Amino acid sequence: MASAQKADTVREKHSYKPTGIRIGTDVLSIVRSSTDDTFEGWEVNADVDFYRYYLAMDYGYWARDYEAETGQYHNNGTYWRLGGDVNFLTKDPDRNMFFIGFRYGRSQFSESLVVERIDPNWGSLNATYTNSNISAGWLELTTGLRVKLWKFIWMGYTARLKFAPDIERTPEMEPHDVPGYGRADKDYYWGFNYQILIRLPLRKTPSVLLEK
C-alpha cells in the first residue's frame, strides 16, 4: 500500500538552468537628471534566474554639483552592485517576482570643494580641496517586485537599505558624497529604484516540470 502511494506521488522537479536575462535601466535616475540641476546620473540593471534564485548586477554613473554661500562642491564617479535575490512567487507561470535580496556595492569617484570667504584686509580668498580616485564600499538589503507587462517587457521597483559604509579616508578633505550610496557621514541610507526591463530568453521551458 505504501509503495503504491509512493508511486502515485507527484513531485515538482526544478531546473536550475537559467531561462532568461533581464536588462534595463532606472527611470528615476533619468528623471532626476532632467529635473534636478545638482544631479546627473544613470543606472543599468540586469539579473539572471536559477530557478527561484537570481544573480543581480547594477552599474551606474553619479555626479553632484551644487553651491553654498561659502563654496562650491562637485563630484563624479561610477559604482556597481553585485548580489542575489530570492523569489517568493515560485508558482507564477509568468515568473513575476516578489523578492528579498542582498548586495555588495562599490564606488570609485573624485570630488572637489572650493571654499570662498571675504577677509576684511585681503578681500576675496579661495581655497580648493580635492579627493582624486578614491573608493568606497557598502552593503545593502533589498526587496521589491518585478512584473511582466507585455511579452518581453517588464517593470518593477527595488527598495534598498544601504549600510556599513567603508570609505577611503584622505588627508586632503573628508569625503562628502559617495556615488551609489549618498552622504558619506550617514551610517545607513534608504534608496529606491523604478526599473523598466527587457527579458532575453535563453531557453524555452514549462514553468513547472512534473515527475511521477
Side-chain angles (χ1 to χ4, degrees), residues 72-151:
Q72 300 174 338
Y73 174 82
H74 173 77
N75 82 343
N76 67 85
T78 59
Y79 62 92
W80 54 264
R81 308 185 196 98
L82 181 65
D85 296 323
V86 180
N87 181 22
F88 290 90
L89 302 181
T90 57
K91 297 184 182 298
D92 192 313
D94 288 329
R95 299 183 179 274
N96 294 323
M97 289 180 67
F98 166 69
F99 65 88
I100 294 176
F102 181 82
R103 304 282 190 279
Y104 174 72
R106 194 77 183 171
S107 177
Q108 202 78 23
F109 65 102
S110 298
E111 60 182 353
S112 65
L113 175 66
V114 179
V115 178
E116 303 173 350
R117 67 186 181 92
I118 304 298
D119 186 273
N121 296 318
W122 304 103
S124 178
L125 300 175
N126 294 336
T128 301
Y129 304 92
T130 60
N131 283 329
S132 299
N133 199 32
I134 58 177
S135 60
W138 65 92
L139 303 176
E140 296 184 0
L141 292 177
T142 61
T143 186
L145 294 173
R146 299 282 186 274
V147 178
K148 183 178 180 180
L149 288 182
W150 177 75
K151 293 186 177 180

Side-chain angles (χ1 to χ4, degrees), residues 23-194:
I23 301 174
T25 189
D26 175 33
V27 177
L28 295 184
S29 294
I30 298 174
V31 173
R32 187 180 176 190
S33 295
S34 302
T35 59
D36 186 348
D37 293 336
T38 69
F39 176 84
E40 180 182 355
W42 49 263
E43 183 175 300
V44 176
N45 315 109
D47 64 22
V48 57
D49 66 298
F50 300 89
Y51 172 48
R52 67 180 299 187
Y53 307 102
Y54 285 71
L55 176 64
M57 299 149 283
D58 308 310
Y59 183 82
Y61 171 79
W62 173 312
R64 298 298 303 270
D65 194 355
Y66 54 85
E67 298 184 9
E69 292 183 2
T70 58
Q72 300 174 338
Y73 174 82
H74 173 77
N75 82 343
N76 67 85
T78 59
Y79 62 92
W80 54 264
R81 308 185 196 98
L82 181 65
D85 296 323
V86 180
N87 181 22
F88 290 90
L89 302 181
T90 57
K91 297 184 182 298
D92 192 313
D94 288 329
R95 299 183 179 274
N96 294 323
M97 289 180 67
F98 166 69
F99 65 88
I100 294 176
F102 181 82
R103 304 282 190 279
Y104 174 72
R106 194 77 183 171
S107 177
Q108 202 78 23
F109 65 102
S110 298
E111 60 182 353
S112 65
L113 175 66
V114 179
V115 178
E116 303 173 350
R117 67 186 181 92
I118 304 298
D119 186 273
N121 296 318
W122 304 103
S124 178
L125 300 175
N126 294 336
T128 301
Y129 304 92
T130 60
N131 283 329
S132 299
N133 199 32
I134 58 177
S135 60
W138 65 92
L139 303 176
E140 296 184 0
L141 292 177
T142 61
T143 186
L145 294 173
R146 299 282 186 274
V147 178
K148 183 178 180 180
L149 288 182
W150 177 75
K151 293 186 177 180
F152 54 84
I153 299 177
W154 292 64
M155 64 171 285
Y157 72 83
T158 301
R160 55 185 82 248
L161 173 60
K162 300 179 274 191
F163 63 98
D166 180 17
I167 304 170
E168 180 183 354
R169 300 299 175 181
T170 62
E172 183 77 7
M173 61 178 282
E174 287 290 321
H176 174 68
D177 186 89
V178 179
Y181 180 80
R183 286 266 300 274
D185 60 343
K186 299 290 187 179
D187 291 332
Y188 64 91
Y189 231 94
W190 290 99
F192 186 85
N193 302 96
Y194 182 86

Side-chain angles (χ1 to χ4, degrees), residues 5-14 91 208-212:
Q5 289 178 343
K6 185 176 180 180
D8 292 335
T9 299
V10 177
R11 297 186 292 111
E12 277 192 15
K13 181 181 179 182
H14 305 299
K91 297 184 182 298
V208 178
L209 300 176
L210 297 180
E211 177 184 80
K212 285 191 177 183

